[in-house]
mmCIF file with all atom_site columns, all heavy atoms in Angstrom:
data_model
loop_
_atom_site.group_PDB
_atom_site.id
_atom_site.type_symbol
_atom_site.label_atom_id
_atom_site.label_alt_id
_atom_site.label_comp_id
_atom_site.label_asym_id
_atom_site.label_entity_id
_atom_site.label_seq_id
_atom_site.pdbx_PDB_ins_code
_atom_site.Cartn_x
_atom_site.Cartn_y
_atom_site.Cartn_z
_atom_site.occupancy
_atom_site.B_iso_or_equiv
_atom_site.pdbx_formal_charge
_atom_site.auth_seq_id
_atom_site.auth_comp_id
_atom_site.auth_asym_id
_atom_site.auth_atom_id
_atom_site.pdbx_PDB_model_num
ATOM 1   N N   . VAL A 1 1  ? 0.847  -1.199  0.000   1.00 0.00 ? 638 VAL A N   1
ATOM 2   C CA  . VAL A 1 1  ? 0.000  0.000   0.000   1.00 0.00 ? 638 VAL A CA  1
ATOM 3   C C   . VAL A 1 1  ? 0.882  1.249   0.000   1.00 0.00 ? 638 VAL A C   1
ATOM 4   O O   . VAL A 1 1  ? 0.957  1.977   -0.971  1.00 0.00 ? 638 VAL A O   1
ATOM 5   C CB  . VAL A 1 1  ? -0.964 0.001   1.213   1.00 0.00 ? 638 VAL A CB  1
ATOM 6   C CG1 . VAL A 1 1  ? -1.873 1.236   1.160   1.00 0.00 ? 638 VAL A CG1 1
ATOM 7   C CG2 . VAL A 1 1  ? -1.803 -1.276  1.232   1.00 0.00 ? 638 VAL A CG2 1
ATOM 8   N N   . ASP A 1 2  ? 1.577  1.463   1.115   1.00 0.00 ? 639 ASP A N   1
ATOM 9   C CA  . ASP A 1 2  ? 2.483  2.612   1.233   1.00 0.00 ? 639 ASP A CA  1
ATOM 10  C C   . ASP A 1 2  ? 3.853  2.291   0.631   1.00 0.00 ? 639 ASP A C   1
ATOM 11  O O   . ASP A 1 2  ? 4.236  1.109   0.563   1.00 0.00 ? 639 ASP A O   1
ATOM 12  C CB  . ASP A 1 2  ? 2.667  2.986   2.702   1.00 0.00 ? 639 ASP A CB  1
ATOM 13  C CG  . ASP A 1 2  ? 1.448  3.691   3.258   1.00 0.00 ? 639 ASP A CG  1
ATOM 14  O OD1 . ASP A 1 2  ? 1.106  4.759   2.724   1.00 0.00 ? 639 ASP A OD1 1
ATOM 15  O OD2 . ASP A 1 2  ? 0.830  3.157   4.212   1.00 0.00 ? 639 ASP A OD2 1
ATOM 16  N N   . PRO A 1 3  ? 4.611  3.320   0.251   1.00 0.00 ? 640 PRO A N   1
ATOM 17  C CA  . PRO A 1 3  ? 5.963  3.099   -0.263  1.00 0.00 ? 640 PRO A CA  1
ATOM 18  C C   . PRO A 1 3  ? 6.841  2.271   0.685   1.00 0.00 ? 640 PRO A C   1
ATOM 19  O O   . PRO A 1 3  ? 7.650  1.455   0.238   1.00 0.00 ? 640 PRO A O   1
ATOM 20  C CB  . PRO A 1 3  ? 6.514  4.511   -0.447  1.00 0.00 ? 640 PRO A CB  1
ATOM 21  C CG  . PRO A 1 3  ? 5.306  5.347   -0.717  1.00 0.00 ? 640 PRO A CG  1
ATOM 22  C CD  . PRO A 1 3  ? 4.218  4.751   0.127   1.00 0.00 ? 640 PRO A CD  1
ATOM 23  N N   . ASP A 1 4  ? 6.662  2.440   1.992   1.00 0.00 ? 641 ASP A N   1
ATOM 24  C CA  . ASP A 1 4  ? 7.460  1.688   2.974   1.00 0.00 ? 641 ASP A CA  1
ATOM 25  C C   . ASP A 1 4  ? 7.256  0.176   2.860   1.00 0.00 ? 641 ASP A C   1
ATOM 26  O O   . ASP A 1 4  ? 8.129  -0.609  3.245   1.00 0.00 ? 641 ASP A O   1
ATOM 27  C CB  . ASP A 1 4  ? 7.100  2.127   4.401   1.00 0.00 ? 641 ASP A CB  1
ATOM 28  C CG  . ASP A 1 4  ? 7.681  3.495   4.741   1.00 0.00 ? 641 ASP A CG  1
ATOM 29  O OD1 . ASP A 1 4  ? 8.563  3.958   3.988   1.00 0.00 ? 641 ASP A OD1 1
ATOM 30  O OD2 . ASP A 1 4  ? 7.243  4.091   5.742   1.00 0.00 ? 641 ASP A OD2 1
ATOM 31  N N   . ASP A 1 5  ? 6.109  -0.229  2.334   1.00 0.00 ? 642 ASP A N   1
ATOM 32  C CA  . ASP A 1 5  ? 5.783  -1.663  2.258   1.00 0.00 ? 642 ASP A CA  1
ATOM 33  C C   . ASP A 1 5  ? 6.685  -2.451  1.318   1.00 0.00 ? 642 ASP A C   1
ATOM 34  O O   . ASP A 1 5  ? 6.785  -3.670  1.426   1.00 0.00 ? 642 ASP A O   1
ATOM 35  C CB  . ASP A 1 5  ? 4.321  -1.851  1.817   1.00 0.00 ? 642 ASP A CB  1
ATOM 36  C CG  . ASP A 1 5  ? 3.333  -1.333  2.843   1.00 0.00 ? 642 ASP A CG  1
ATOM 37  O OD1 . ASP A 1 5  ? 3.659  -1.357  4.041   1.00 0.00 ? 642 ASP A OD1 1
ATOM 38  O OD2 . ASP A 1 5  ? 2.235  -0.893  2.436   1.00 0.00 ? 642 ASP A OD2 1
ATOM 39  N N   . VAL A 1 6  ? 7.332  -1.770  0.361   1.00 0.00 ? 643 VAL A N   1
ATOM 40  C CA  . VAL A 1 6  ? 8.130  -2.501  -0.633  1.00 0.00 ? 643 VAL A CA  1
ATOM 41  C C   . VAL A 1 6  ? 9.591  -2.667  -0.228  1.00 0.00 ? 643 VAL A C   1
ATOM 42  O O   . VAL A 1 6  ? 10.368 -3.300  -0.954  1.00 0.00 ? 643 VAL A O   1
ATOM 43  C CB  . VAL A 1 6  ? 8.062  -1.833  -2.037  1.00 0.00 ? 643 VAL A CB  1
ATOM 44  C CG1 . VAL A 1 6  ? 6.639  -1.760  -2.526  1.00 0.00 ? 643 VAL A CG1 1
ATOM 45  C CG2 . VAL A 1 6  ? 8.732  -0.462  -2.045  1.00 0.00 ? 643 VAL A CG2 1
ATOM 46  N N   . LYS A 1 7  ? 9.977  -2.131  0.917   1.00 0.00 ? 644 LYS A N   1
ATOM 47  C CA  . LYS A 1 7  ? 11.382 -2.244  1.351   1.00 0.00 ? 644 LYS A CA  1
ATOM 48  C C   . LYS A 1 7  ? 11.815 -3.707  1.402   1.00 0.00 ? 644 LYS A C   1
ATOM 49  O O   . LYS A 1 7  ? 11.197 -4.526  2.061   1.00 0.00 ? 644 LYS A O   1
ATOM 50  C CB  . LYS A 1 7  ? 11.567 -1.609  2.731   1.00 0.00 ? 644 LYS A CB  1
ATOM 51  C CG  . LYS A 1 7  ? 11.848 -0.122  2.659   1.00 0.00 ? 644 LYS A CG  1
ATOM 52  C CD  . LYS A 1 7  ? 12.095 0.478   4.018   1.00 0.00 ? 644 LYS A CD  1
ATOM 53  C CE  . LYS A 1 7  ? 12.231 2.006   3.897   1.00 0.00 ? 644 LYS A CE  1
ATOM 54  N NZ  . LYS A 1 7  ? 12.167 2.661   5.208   1.00 0.00 ? 644 LYS A NZ  1
ATOM 55  N N   . GLY A 1 8  ? 12.894 -4.013  0.663   1.00 0.00 ? 645 GLY A N   1
ATOM 56  C CA  . GLY A 1 8  ? 13.444 -5.356  0.648   1.00 0.00 ? 645 GLY A CA  1
ATOM 57  C C   . GLY A 1 8  ? 12.677 -6.365  -0.201  1.00 0.00 ? 645 GLY A C   1
ATOM 58  O O   . GLY A 1 8  ? 13.084 -7.522  -0.298  1.00 0.00 ? 645 GLY A O   1
ATOM 59  N N   . MET A 1 9  ? 11.578 -5.956  -0.818  1.00 0.00 ? 646 MET A N   1
ATOM 60  C CA  . MET A 1 9  ? 10.775 -6.885  -1.623  1.00 0.00 ? 646 MET A CA  1
ATOM 61  C C   . MET A 1 9  ? 11.323 -7.041  -3.035  1.00 0.00 ? 646 MET A C   1
ATOM 62  O O   . MET A 1 9  ? 11.826 -6.088  -3.621  1.00 0.00 ? 646 MET A O   1
ATOM 63  C CB  . MET A 1 9  ? 9.325  -6.380  -1.749  1.00 0.00 ? 646 MET A CB  1
ATOM 64  C CG  . MET A 1 9  ? 8.459  -6.601  -0.553  1.00 0.00 ? 646 MET A CG  1
ATOM 65  S SD  . MET A 1 9  ? 6.733  -6.136  -0.910  1.00 0.00 ? 646 MET A SD  1
ATOM 66  C CE  . MET A 1 9  ? 6.082  -7.708  -1.443  1.00 0.00 ? 646 MET A CE  1
ATOM 67  N N   . LYS A 1 10 ? 11.203 -8.249  -3.585  1.00 0.00 ? 647 LYS A N   1
ATOM 68  C CA  . LYS A 1 10 ? 11.508 -8.483  -4.999  1.00 0.00 ? 647 LYS A CA  1
ATOM 69  C C   . LYS A 1 10 ? 10.196 -8.281  -5.748  1.00 0.00 ? 647 LYS A C   1
ATOM 70  O O   . LYS A 1 10 ? 9.261  -9.070  -5.609  1.00 0.00 ? 647 LYS A O   1
ATOM 71  C CB  . LYS A 1 10 ? 12.040 -9.912  -5.218  1.00 0.00 ? 647 LYS A CB  1
ATOM 72  C CG  . LYS A 1 10 ? 13.439 -10.144 -4.656  1.00 0.00 ? 647 LYS A CG  1
ATOM 73  C CD  . LYS A 1 10 ? 13.895 -11.575 -4.873  1.00 0.00 ? 647 LYS A CD  1
ATOM 74  C CE  . LYS A 1 10 ? 13.200 -12.520 -3.927  1.00 0.00 ? 647 LYS A CE  1
ATOM 75  N NZ  . LYS A 1 10 ? 13.680 -13.918 -4.025  1.00 0.00 ? 647 LYS A NZ  1
ATOM 76  N N   . ILE A 1 11 ? 10.143 -7.199  -6.512  1.00 0.00 ? 648 ILE A N   1
ATOM 77  C CA  . ILE A 1 11 ? 8.865  -6.791  -7.100  1.00 0.00 ? 648 ILE A CA  1
ATOM 78  C C   . ILE A 1 11 ? 9.013  -6.325  -8.547  1.00 0.00 ? 648 ILE A C   1
ATOM 79  O O   . ILE A 1 11 ? 10.040 -5.743  -8.916  1.00 0.00 ? 648 ILE A O   1
ATOM 80  C CB  . ILE A 1 11 ? 8.223  -5.687  -6.213  1.00 0.00 ? 648 ILE A CB  1
ATOM 81  C CG1 . ILE A 1 11 ? 6.837  -5.288  -6.720  1.00 0.00 ? 648 ILE A CG1 1
ATOM 82  C CG2 . ILE A 1 11 ? 9.114  -4.480  -6.077  1.00 0.00 ? 648 ILE A CG2 1
ATOM 83  C CD1 . ILE A 1 11 ? 6.061  -4.417  -5.731  1.00 0.00 ? 648 ILE A CD1 1
ATOM 84  N N   . ARG A 1 12 ? 8.010  -6.588  -9.333  1.00 0.00 ? 649 ARG A N   1
ATOM 85  C CA  . ARG A 1 12 ? 7.976  -6.168  -10.737 1.00 0.00 ? 649 ARG A CA  1
ATOM 86  C C   . ARG A 1 12 ? 7.121  -4.905  -10.863 1.00 0.00 ? 649 ARG A C   1
ATOM 87  O O   . ARG A 1 12 ? 5.981  -4.862  -10.399 1.00 0.00 ? 649 ARG A O   1
ATOM 88  C CB  . ARG A 1 12 ? 7.360  -7.294  -11.577 1.00 0.00 ? 649 ARG A CB  1
ATOM 89  C CG  . ARG A 1 12 ? 7.328  -7.015  -13.073 1.00 0.00 ? 649 ARG A CG  1
ATOM 90  C CD  . ARG A 1 12 ? 5.948  -6.708  -13.579 1.00 0.00 ? 649 ARG A CD  1
ATOM 91  N NE  . ARG A 1 12 ? 5.926  -6.703  -15.046 1.00 0.00 ? 649 ARG A NE  1
ATOM 92  C CZ  . ARG A 1 12 ? 4.926  -6.237  -15.779 1.00 0.00 ? 649 ARG A CZ  1
ATOM 93  N NH1 . ARG A 1 12 ? 3.863  -5.725  -15.206 1.00 0.00 ? 649 ARG A NH1 1
ATOM 94  N NH2 . ARG A 1 12 ? 4.981  -6.270  -17.095 1.00 0.00 ? 649 ARG A NH2 1
ATOM 95  N N   . GLY A 1 13 ? 7.693  -3.858  -11.485 1.00 0.00 ? 650 GLY A N   1
ATOM 96  C CA  . GLY A 1 13 ? 6.970  -2.589  -11.613 1.00 0.00 ? 650 GLY A CA  1
ATOM 97  C C   . GLY A 1 13 ? 6.255  -2.423  -12.936 1.00 0.00 ? 650 GLY A C   1
ATOM 98  O O   . GLY A 1 13 ? 5.204  -1.793  -13.014 1.00 0.00 ? 650 GLY A O   1
ATOM 99  N N   . GLY A 1 14 ? 6.838  -2.967  -14.005 1.00 0.00 ? 651 GLY A N   1
ATOM 100 C CA  . GLY A 1 14 ? 6.192  -2.889  -15.312 1.00 0.00 ? 651 GLY A CA  1
ATOM 101 C C   . GLY A 1 14 ? 6.805  -1.894  -16.267 1.00 0.00 ? 651 GLY A C   1
ATOM 102 O O   . GLY A 1 14 ? 6.526  -1.915  -17.458 1.00 0.00 ? 651 GLY A O   1
ATOM 103 N N   . SER A 1 15 ? 7.636  -0.985  -15.764 1.00 0.00 ? 652 SER A N   1
ATOM 104 C CA  . SER A 1 15 ? 8.356  -0.049  -16.647 1.00 0.00 ? 652 SER A CA  1
ATOM 105 C C   . SER A 1 15 ? 9.583  0.461   -15.910 1.00 0.00 ? 652 SER A C   1
ATOM 106 O O   . SER A 1 15 ? 9.679  0.362   -14.674 1.00 0.00 ? 652 SER A O   1
ATOM 107 C CB  . SER A 1 15 ? 7.462  1.139   -17.046 1.00 0.00 ? 652 SER A CB  1
ATOM 108 O OG  . SER A 1 15 ? 7.360  2.090   -15.995 1.00 0.00 ? 652 SER A OG  1
ATOM 109 N N   . ARG A 1 16 ? 10.504 1.014   -16.670 1.00 0.00 ? 653 ARG A N   1
ATOM 110 C CA  . ARG A 1 16 ? 11.729 1.555   -16.074 1.00 0.00 ? 653 ARG A CA  1
ATOM 111 C C   . ARG A 1 16 ? 11.380 2.631   -15.047 1.00 0.00 ? 653 ARG A C   1
ATOM 112 O O   . ARG A 1 16 ? 12.003 2.726   -13.979 1.00 0.00 ? 653 ARG A O   1
ATOM 113 C CB  . ARG A 1 16 ? 12.598 2.147   -17.181 1.00 0.00 ? 653 ARG A CB  1
ATOM 114 C CG  . ARG A 1 16 ? 13.941 2.683   -16.684 1.00 0.00 ? 653 ARG A CG  1
ATOM 115 C CD  . ARG A 1 16 ? 14.790 3.229   -17.834 1.00 0.00 ? 653 ARG A CD  1
ATOM 116 N NE  . ARG A 1 16 ? 16.089 3.617   -17.341 1.00 0.00 ? 653 ARG A NE  1
ATOM 117 C CZ  . ARG A 1 16 ? 16.344 4.782   -16.735 1.00 0.00 ? 653 ARG A CZ  1
ATOM 118 N NH1 . ARG A 1 16 ? 15.369 5.653   -16.559 1.00 0.00 ? 653 ARG A NH1 1
ATOM 119 N NH2 . ARG A 1 16 ? 17.559 5.062   -16.308 1.00 0.00 ? 653 ARG A NH2 1
ATOM 120 N N   . GLU A 1 17 ? 10.378 3.433   -15.370 1.00 0.00 ? 654 GLU A N   1
ATOM 121 C CA  . GLU A 1 17 ? 9.999  4.539   -14.494 1.00 0.00 ? 654 GLU A CA  1
ATOM 122 C C   . GLU A 1 17 ? 9.403  4.054   -13.173 1.00 0.00 ? 654 GLU A C   1
ATOM 123 O O   . GLU A 1 17 ? 9.717  4.568   -12.100 1.00 0.00 ? 654 GLU A O   1
ATOM 124 C CB  . GLU A 1 17 ? 9.012  5.465   -15.227 1.00 0.00 ? 654 GLU A CB  1
ATOM 125 C CG  . GLU A 1 17 ? 9.675  6.482   -16.144 1.00 0.00 ? 654 GLU A CG  1
ATOM 126 C CD  . GLU A 1 17 ? 10.513 5.843   -17.255 1.00 0.00 ? 654 GLU A CD  1
ATOM 127 O OE1 . GLU A 1 17 ? 10.138 4.759   -17.753 1.00 0.00 ? 654 GLU A OE1 1
ATOM 128 O OE2 . GLU A 1 17 ? 11.542 6.418   -17.620 1.00 0.00 ? 654 GLU A OE2 1
ATOM 129 N N   . VAL A 1 18 ? 8.532  3.049   -13.247 1.00 0.00 ? 655 VAL A N   1
ATOM 130 C CA  . VAL A 1 18 ? 7.972  2.487   -12.011 1.00 0.00 ? 655 VAL A CA  1
ATOM 131 C C   . VAL A 1 18 ? 9.090  1.831   -11.199 1.00 0.00 ? 655 VAL A C   1
ATOM 132 O O   . VAL A 1 18 ? 9.132  1.940   -9.969  1.00 0.00 ? 655 VAL A O   1
ATOM 133 C CB  . VAL A 1 18 ? 6.849  1.474   -12.317 1.00 0.00 ? 655 VAL A CB  1
ATOM 134 C CG1 . VAL A 1 18 ? 6.306  0.874   -11.008 1.00 0.00 ? 655 VAL A CG1 1
ATOM 135 C CG2 . VAL A 1 18 ? 5.708  2.135   -13.079 1.00 0.00 ? 655 VAL A CG2 1
ATOM 136 N N   . ASP A 1 19 ? 10.014 1.177   -11.893 1.00 0.00 ? 656 ASP A N   1
ATOM 137 C CA  . ASP A 1 19 ? 11.146 0.540   -11.213 1.00 0.00 ? 656 ASP A CA  1
ATOM 138 C C   . ASP A 1 19 ? 11.986 1.569   -10.431 1.00 0.00 ? 656 ASP A C   1
ATOM 139 O O   . ASP A 1 19 ? 12.466 1.281   -9.332  1.00 0.00 ? 656 ASP A O   1
ATOM 140 C CB  . ASP A 1 19 ? 12.040 -0.188  -12.216 1.00 0.00 ? 656 ASP A CB  1
ATOM 141 C CG  . ASP A 1 19 ? 11.407 -1.462  -12.755 1.00 0.00 ? 656 ASP A CG  1
ATOM 142 O OD1 . ASP A 1 19 ? 10.355 -1.869  -12.215 1.00 0.00 ? 656 ASP A OD1 1
ATOM 143 O OD2 . ASP A 1 19 ? 11.962 -2.039  -13.710 1.00 0.00 ? 656 ASP A OD2 1
ATOM 144 N N   . LEU A 1 20 ? 12.159 2.753   -11.001 1.00 0.00 ? 657 LEU A N   1
ATOM 145 C CA  . LEU A 1 20 ? 12.926 3.803   -10.319 1.00 0.00 ? 657 LEU A CA  1
ATOM 146 C C   . LEU A 1 20 ? 12.258 4.206   -9.012  1.00 0.00 ? 657 LEU A C   1
ATOM 147 O O   . LEU A 1 20 ? 12.926 4.436   -8.001  1.00 0.00 ? 657 LEU A O   1
ATOM 148 C CB  . LEU A 1 20 ? 13.074 5.032   -11.229 1.00 0.00 ? 657 LEU A CB  1
ATOM 149 C CG  . LEU A 1 20 ? 14.073 4.920   -12.384 1.00 0.00 ? 657 LEU A CG  1
ATOM 150 C CD1 . LEU A 1 20 ? 13.961 6.120   -13.314 1.00 0.00 ? 657 LEU A CD1 1
ATOM 151 C CD2 . LEU A 1 20 ? 15.503 4.806   -11.851 1.00 0.00 ? 657 LEU A CD2 1
ATOM 152 N N   . VAL A 1 21 ? 10.928 4.289   -9.045  1.00 0.00 ? 658 VAL A N   1
ATOM 153 C CA  . VAL A 1 21 ? 10.169 4.636   -7.837  1.00 0.00 ? 658 VAL A CA  1
ATOM 154 C C   . VAL A 1 21 ? 10.310 3.530   -6.795  1.00 0.00 ? 658 VAL A C   1
ATOM 155 O O   . VAL A 1 21 ? 10.535 3.795   -5.605  1.00 0.00 ? 658 VAL A O   1
ATOM 156 C CB  . VAL A 1 21 ? 8.679  4.868   -8.191  1.00 0.00 ? 658 VAL A CB  1
ATOM 157 C CG1 . VAL A 1 21 ? 7.848  5.059   -6.921  1.00 0.00 ? 658 VAL A CG1 1
ATOM 158 C CG2 . VAL A 1 21 ? 8.531  6.095   -9.088  1.00 0.00 ? 658 VAL A CG2 1
ATOM 159 N N   . LEU A 1 22 ? 10.193 2.292   -7.241  1.00 0.00 ? 659 LEU A N   1
ATOM 160 C CA  . LEU A 1 22 ? 10.303 1.146   -6.322  1.00 0.00 ? 659 LEU A CA  1
ATOM 161 C C   . LEU A 1 22 ? 11.698 1.069   -5.698  1.00 0.00 ? 659 LEU A C   1
ATOM 162 O O   . LEU A 1 22 ? 11.846 0.799   -4.502  1.00 0.00 ? 659 LEU A O   1
ATOM 163 C CB  . LEU A 1 22 ? 9.980  -0.154  -7.063  1.00 0.00 ? 659 LEU A CB  1
ATOM 164 C CG  . LEU A 1 22 ? 8.518  -0.330  -7.495  1.00 0.00 ? 659 LEU A CG  1
ATOM 165 C CD1 . LEU A 1 22 ? 8.377  -1.525  -8.422  1.00 0.00 ? 659 LEU A CD1 1
ATOM 166 C CD2 . LEU A 1 22 ? 7.613  -0.488  -6.280  1.00 0.00 ? 659 LEU A CD2 1
ATOM 167 N N   . LYS A 1 23 ? 12.728 1.314   -6.533  1.00 0.00 ? 660 LYS A N   1
ATOM 168 C CA  . LYS A 1 23 ? 14.107 1.303   -6.015  1.00 0.00 ? 660 LYS A CA  1
ATOM 169 C C   . LYS A 1 23 ? 14.294 2.386   -4.957  1.00 0.00 ? 660 LYS A C   1
ATOM 170 O O   . LYS A 1 23 ? 14.930 2.165   -3.922  1.00 0.00 ? 660 LYS A O   1
ATOM 171 C CB  . LYS A 1 23 ? 15.108 1.521   -7.158  1.00 0.00 ? 660 LYS A CB  1
ATOM 172 C CG  . LYS A 1 23 ? 15.353 0.285   -8.005  1.00 0.00 ? 660 LYS A CG  1
ATOM 173 C CD  . LYS A 1 23 ? 16.316 0.621   -9.136  1.00 0.00 ? 660 LYS A CD  1
ATOM 174 C CE  . LYS A 1 23 ? 16.463 -0.539  -10.109 1.00 0.00 ? 660 LYS A CE  1
ATOM 175 N NZ  . LYS A 1 23 ? 17.269 -0.163  -11.294 1.00 0.00 ? 660 LYS A NZ  1
ATOM 176 N N   . ALA A 1 24 ? 13.733 3.568   -5.240  1.00 0.00 ? 661 ALA A N   1
ATOM 177 C CA  . ALA A 1 24 ? 13.853 4.683   -4.288  1.00 0.00 ? 661 ALA A CA  1
ATOM 178 C C   . ALA A 1 24 ? 13.168 4.348   -2.969  1.00 0.00 ? 661 ALA A C   1
ATOM 179 O O   . ALA A 1 24 ? 13.570 4.820   -1.900  1.00 0.00 ? 661 ALA A O   1
ATOM 180 C CB  . ALA A 1 24 ? 13.241 5.943   -4.889  1.00 0.00 ? 661 ALA A CB  1
ATOM 181 N N   . ALA A 1 25 ? 12.137 3.490   -3.035  1.00 0.00 ? 662 ALA A N   1
ATOM 182 C CA  . ALA A 1 25 ? 11.413 3.078   -1.828  1.00 0.00 ? 662 ALA A CA  1
ATOM 183 C C   . ALA A 1 25 ? 12.073 1.875   -1.151  1.00 0.00 ? 662 ALA A C   1
ATOM 184 O O   . ALA A 1 25 ? 11.595 1.404   -0.112  1.00 0.00 ? 662 ALA A O   1
ATOM 185 C CB  . ALA A 1 25 ? 9.968  2.763   -2.177  1.00 0.00 ? 662 ALA A CB  1
ATOM 186 N N   . GLY A 1 26 ? 13.168 1.363   -1.752  1.00 0.00 ? 663 GLY A N   1
ATOM 187 C CA  . GLY A 1 26 ? 13.925 0.289   -1.117  1.00 0.00 ? 663 GLY A CA  1
ATOM 188 C C   . GLY A 1 26 ? 13.671 -1.109  -1.636  1.00 0.00 ? 663 GLY A C   1
ATOM 189 O O   . GLY A 1 26 ? 14.097 -2.094  -1.036  1.00 0.00 ? 663 GLY A O   1
ATOM 190 N N   . ALA A 1 27 ? 12.991 -1.235  -2.782  1.00 0.00 ? 664 ALA A N   1
ATOM 191 C CA  . ALA A 1 27 ? 12.690 -2.560  -3.332  1.00 0.00 ? 664 ALA A CA  1
ATOM 192 C C   . ALA A 1 27 ? 13.807 -3.064  -4.238  1.00 0.00 ? 664 ALA A C   1
ATOM 193 O O   . ALA A 1 27 ? 14.633 -2.286  -4.724  1.00 0.00 ? 664 ALA A O   1
ATOM 194 C CB  . ALA A 1 27 ? 11.384 -2.507  -4.123  1.00 0.00 ? 664 ALA A CB  1
ATOM 195 N N   . ALA A 1 28 ? 13.816 -4.374  -4.459  1.00 0.00 ? 665 ALA A N   1
ATOM 196 C CA  . ALA A 1 28 ? 14.696 -4.985  -5.471  1.00 0.00 ? 665 ALA A CA  1
ATOM 197 C C   . ALA A 1 28 ? 13.799 -5.294  -6.666  1.00 0.00 ? 665 ALA A C   1
ATOM 198 O O   . ALA A 1 28 ? 12.867 -6.092  -6.554  1.00 0.00 ? 665 ALA A O   1
ATOM 199 C CB  . ALA A 1 28 ? 15.310 -6.271  -4.925  1.00 0.00 ? 665 ALA A CB  1
ATOM 200 N N   . VAL A 1 29 ? 14.038 -4.644  -7.799  1.00 0.00 ? 666 VAL A N   1
ATOM 201 C CA  . VAL A 1 29 ? 13.098 -4.771  -8.918  1.00 0.00 ? 666 VAL A CA  1
ATOM 202 C C   . VAL A 1 29 ? 13.451 -5.936  -9.842  1.00 0.00 ? 666 VAL A C   1
ATOM 203 O O   . VAL A 1 29 ? 14.614 -6.304  -9.994  1.00 0.00 ? 666 VAL A O   1
ATOM 204 C CB  . VAL A 1 29 ? 12.999 -3.461  -9.738  1.00 0.00 ? 666 VAL A CB  1
ATOM 205 C CG1 . VAL A 1 29 ? 12.543 -2.312  -8.862  1.00 0.00 ? 666 VAL A CG1 1
ATOM 206 C CG2 . VAL A 1 29 ? 14.309 -3.117  -10.427 1.00 0.00 ? 666 VAL A CG2 1
ATOM 207 N N   . VAL A 1 30 ? 12.392 -6.500  -10.432 1.00 0.00 ? 667 VAL A N   1
ATOM 208 C CA  . VAL A 1 30 ? 12.521 -7.577  -11.411 1.00 0.00 ? 667 VAL A CA  1
ATOM 209 C C   . VAL A 1 30 ? 11.832 -7.108  -12.685 1.00 0.00 ? 667 VAL A C   1
ATOM 210 O O   . VAL A 1 30 ? 10.694 -6.641  -12.647 1.00 0.00 ? 667 VAL A O   1
ATOM 211 C CB  . VAL A 1 30 ? 11.844 -8.876  -10.902 1.00 0.00 ? 667 VAL A CB  1
ATOM 212 C CG1 . VAL A 1 30 ? 12.004 -9.996  -11.923 1.00 0.00 ? 667 VAL A CG1 1
ATOM 213 C CG2 . VAL A 1 30 ? 12.414 -9.287  -9.547  1.00 0.00 ? 667 VAL A CG2 1
ATOM 214 N N   . SER A 1 31 ? 12.525 -7.207  -13.825 1.00 0.00 ? 668 SER A N   1
ATOM 215 C CA  . SER A 1 31 ? 11.947 -6.742  -15.096 1.00 0.00 ? 668 SER A CA  1
ATOM 216 C C   . SER A 1 31 ? 11.580 -7.922  -15.980 1.00 0.00 ? 668 SER A C   1
ATOM 217 O O   . SER A 1 31 ? 12.443 -8.738  -16.326 1.00 0.00 ? 668 SER A O   1
ATOM 218 C CB  . SER A 1 31 ? 12.944 -5.837  -15.835 1.00 0.00 ? 668 SER A CB  1
ATOM 219 O OG  . SER A 1 31 ? 13.238 -4.698  -15.058 1.00 0.00 ? 668 SER A OG  1
ATOM 220 N N   . LEU A 1 32 ? 10.309 -8.018  -16.325 1.00 0.00 ? 669 LEU A N   1
ATOM 221 C CA  . LEU A 1 32 ? 9.837  -9.040  -17.264 1.00 0.00 ? 669 LEU A CA  1
ATOM 222 C C   . LEU A 1 32 ? 8.435  -8.677  -17.745 1.00 0.00 ? 669 LEU A C   1
ATOM 223 O O   . LEU A 1 32 ? 7.727  -7.908  -17.112 1.00 0.00 ? 669 LEU A O   1
ATOM 224 C CB  . LEU A 1 32 ? 9.829  -10.436 -16.609 1.00 0.00 ? 669 LEU A CB  1
ATOM 225 C CG  . LEU A 1 32 ? 9.369  -10.617 -15.172 1.00 0.00 ? 669 LEU A CG  1
ATOM 226 C CD1 . LEU A 1 32 ? 7.856  -10.536 -15.056 1.00 0.00 ? 669 LEU A CD1 1
ATOM 227 C CD2 . LEU A 1 32 ? 9.818  -11.980 -14.649 1.00 0.00 ? 669 LEU A CD2 1
ATOM 228 N N   . PRO A 1 33 ? 8.013  -9.201  -18.909 1.00 0.00 ? 670 PRO A N   1
ATOM 229 C CA  . PRO A 1 33 ? 6.666  -8.913  -19.425 1.00 0.00 ? 670 PRO A CA  1
ATOM 230 C C   . PRO A 1 33 ? 5.600  -9.549  -18.528 1.00 0.00 ? 670 PRO A C   1
ATOM 231 O O   . PRO A 1 33 ? 5.887  -10.498 -17.781 1.00 0.00 ? 670 PRO A O   1
ATOM 232 C CB  . PRO A 1 33 ? 6.653  -9.569  -20.815 1.00 0.00 ? 670 PRO A CB  1
ATOM 233 C CG  . PRO A 1 33 ? 8.059  -9.928  -21.133 1.00 0.00 ? 670 PRO A CG  1
ATOM 234 C CD  . PRO A 1 33 ? 8.774  -10.057 -19.836 1.00 0.00 ? 670 PRO A CD  1
#
């Protein structure tokens, strides 16, 4: 829900831009269709 919730999570954002937001919130991003 909140940005804090993604800290340390392996998560897919769907675009480079969403990934940047997730990284800034502390997530580990995964890129795939």
Side-chain angles (χ1 to χ4, degrees):
V638 182
D639 285 300
D641 286 346
D642 294 330
V643 301
K644 273 183 186 167
M646 282 187 92
K647 290 179 285 184
I648 184 169
R649 183 253 191 193
S652 78
R653 183 178 185 278
E654 277 60 34
V655 179
D656 287 351
L657 285 172
V658 173
L659 291 170
K660 282 178 187 173
V666 301
V667 181
S668 299
L669 40 76

